[in-house]
Each structure stands twice: as C-alpha cells, then as structure tokens.
C-alpha cells in the first residue's frame, strides 16, 4: 500500500507530456483556423486584383483564375495622374512625419524624464490628457487656424505639427523607456562637463534605438494609412496621397473600378508589409522593454 502513491505519481508524470502535446496541438489548430479567418479578406482582395469587375462580385474564392497583370497596369494609369504620383506624395509625408515625431517627441520625453523644471508633473498630466481628446474635437479650430495661415492644400498641416511633439503616445512611450536608463550615466556625464544636450545626444539616443525605431515604424504606418487628414487639408488631385487615390476608384454616381481598386490596394500594402517584416524585431523589443527595469 505504501508504494501506490509513488506509482500513481509516476503514471501522472508519464501522461503529462502527452497531455501537453494534445493541448498544444488543439491550440495550434485553433490559431491556424483563426489566422485563416483573419487573412481571408486580405487573400480575397489579392486574388480579386487579378479578376474582372464582374467576377469580383460573384466569386468568393481566394485562388485567382489567372495571374495577368492587366488590372495593375490599368489601375496604375486609370486616374488623371499615375498612382506613382500618389505613392510619392504619401512617401514624402510619411518620411517627414517619421523625422518630426522621432526628433520632437524624443526631446520632449527627455525633458520630462530627465530634467527638473517647474510644473513638470502638471505639464506631463496635461500631455497625457491629450490622449483622451478625440481628434474631431480639435479639427475645426485646426482647420480655421491653418486656413488663416494659408496652409490649406499643402502638406504643411500634415507635417509641421509632427515637429512640435503633438503625438502624446510617442512621448509617453519614450518617457517610460528613458526612465529605465540608469541616472548614474547622467551624473557621470555631468561630472565630465556634459550639459543636457550632450547627454541627450551622446547617452540617451544611442541607448534608445529600440523605442525610437518603434516610434518611427508606427509613425510611418499611421501616416501612410491616414485618410482623414489628407481628405480635410488637400484639395488638388496632384497632391493626393495613396488613400485619397484609392478612394477615387469608387464613384457613387458612376461605374466603380473594383479591379483597379483592389490591384492598387495590394500595392499600397507593400511598404507597410516590408517595414514590419524587416523591423519587427526592433518593434517588439521597443514595446516589450518599455517601462521595465533592467
């Protein structure tokens, strides 16, 4: 009788790896099924970019019948300006947005995280409060201000605010990252005669590459995918971004070019896809290490 608990324990220990394998198999099957459901719209759009308008409305398959590039060629030149013009406009805005956000938000975050000035906690709380303010609440005042400044139908309303640290999310993200960097580095730099600017450039920036890369990636993706901002501030078709160009394929009063829309939508996804593909390690590292003590 004294050996029975040990025997039962050995049996349970022998069965647990098999149970874990069964559980892992079930979880993997569920994840694969969910992934297929989530990827189906994307795969259907990609397949539909090779179909005609009539086939798109009557075919739900994700397997294209042919791989003819006719829709891509026709869609690229379907509008008054080629789709390359819209892609270039979006690229210019996105690059300037990345530069502005990384520069201004990192400087502001450094001030909140490392410098002692009057009202620091108050202004930090005000900055966090802007995260809860809907964009539409300030849209009309912004439009009136930019209209009086003569910035409407230019890229300035979409770019200049990024150089003034208006994205509180990135500031908060960088503040949390800067706070985990040991202050002993700042103290040693001060003893060597470094001021705040040299500490920022020589110490903080080199140690903050992951969070800076995270801010840059999100800035590019959000700017490239932005539809509302260009819709409000841009009027000239030549200044349209990719998102406004895609909208031009759909016309409620005429015939919509669904094939061209899906073809150009597939091309519009490529920059975002490649940026995430090549920089996902830095993106995950920047998010995962923010706010953690080392």
């Amino acid at each position: 009788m004294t050996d029975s608990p040990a025997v039962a324990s050995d049996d349970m220990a022998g069965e647990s790896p098999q149970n874990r394998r069964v559980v892992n198999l079930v979880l993997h099957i569920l994840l694969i099924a969910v992934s297929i459901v989530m990827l189906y719209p994307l795969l259907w759009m990609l397949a539909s970019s090779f179909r005609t308008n009539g086939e798109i409305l009557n075919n739900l398959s994700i397997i294209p019948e042919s791989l003819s590039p006719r829709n891509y060629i026709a869609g690229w030149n379907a509008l008054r300006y080629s789709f390359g013009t819209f892609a270039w406009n979006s690229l210019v805005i996105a690059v300037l947005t990345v530069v502005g956000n990384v520069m201004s938000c990192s400087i502001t975050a450094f001030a909140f995280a490392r410098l002692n000035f009057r009202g620091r906690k108050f202004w930090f709380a005000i900055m966090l409060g802007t995260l809860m303010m809907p964009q539409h609440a300030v849209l009309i005042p912004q439009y009136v201000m930019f209209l009086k400044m003569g910035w409407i139908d230019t890229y300035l309303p979409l770019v200049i605010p990024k150089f003034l640290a208006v994205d509180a999310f990135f500031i908060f993200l960088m503040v949390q990252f800067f706070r985990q960097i040991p202050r002993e580095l700042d103290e040693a730099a001060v003893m060597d005669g470094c001021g705040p600017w040299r500490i920022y450039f020589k110490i903080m920036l080199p140690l903050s590459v992951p969070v800076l890369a995270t801010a840059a990636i999100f800035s590019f993706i959000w700017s490239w995918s932005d539809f509302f901002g260009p819709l409000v501030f841009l009027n000239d078709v030549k200044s349209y971004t990719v998102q406004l160009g895609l909208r031009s394929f759909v016309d409620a009063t005429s015939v919509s070019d669904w094939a061209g829309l899906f073809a150009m939508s597939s091309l519009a996804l490529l920059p975002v896809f490649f940026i995430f593909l090549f920089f996902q390690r830095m993106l995950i590292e920047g998010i995962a290490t923010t706010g953690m003590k080392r």
Side-chain angles (χ1 to χ4, degrees), residues 4-107:
S4 59
V7 174
S9 177
D10 292 339
D11 293 340
M12 293 178 62
E15 293 177 0
S16 59
Q18 183 178 1
N19 292 338
R20 284 197 297 269
R21 284 195 293 269
V22 173
V23 172
N24 289 335
L25 178 61
V26 173
L27 290 177
H28 279 79
I29 293 175
L30 290 176
L31 289 175
I32 292 173
V34 172
S35 300
I36 293 175
V37 172
M38 295 180 63
L39 289 175
Y40 173 79
L42 179 63
L43 297 176
W44 183 82
M45 180 190 73
L46 183 61
S48 297
S49 66
F50 296 99
R51 300 185 176 119
T52 63
N53 288 327
E55 293 174 345
I56 289 175
L57 300 177
N58 299 296
N59 195 335
L60 298 179
S61 173
I62 60 174
I63 301 177
E65 294 78 8
S66 63
L67 295 178
S68 173
R70 61 182 184 276
N71 291 336
Y72 289 86
I73 297 175
W76 187 269
N77 301 296
L79 304 177
R80 185 188 310 175
Y81 299 96
S82 71
F83 201 78
T85 301
F86 306 142
W88 174 254
N89 295 338
S90 290
L91 181 63
V92 171
I93 296 174
V95 170
L96 293 177
T97 297
V98 169
V99 174
N101 272 337
V102 172
M103 289 177 53
S104 61
C105 293
S106 62
I107 293 174

Side-chain angles (χ1 to χ4, degrees), residues 85 132 166 176 219:
T85 301
M132 296 177 285
V166 298
Q176 298 303 109
S219 295

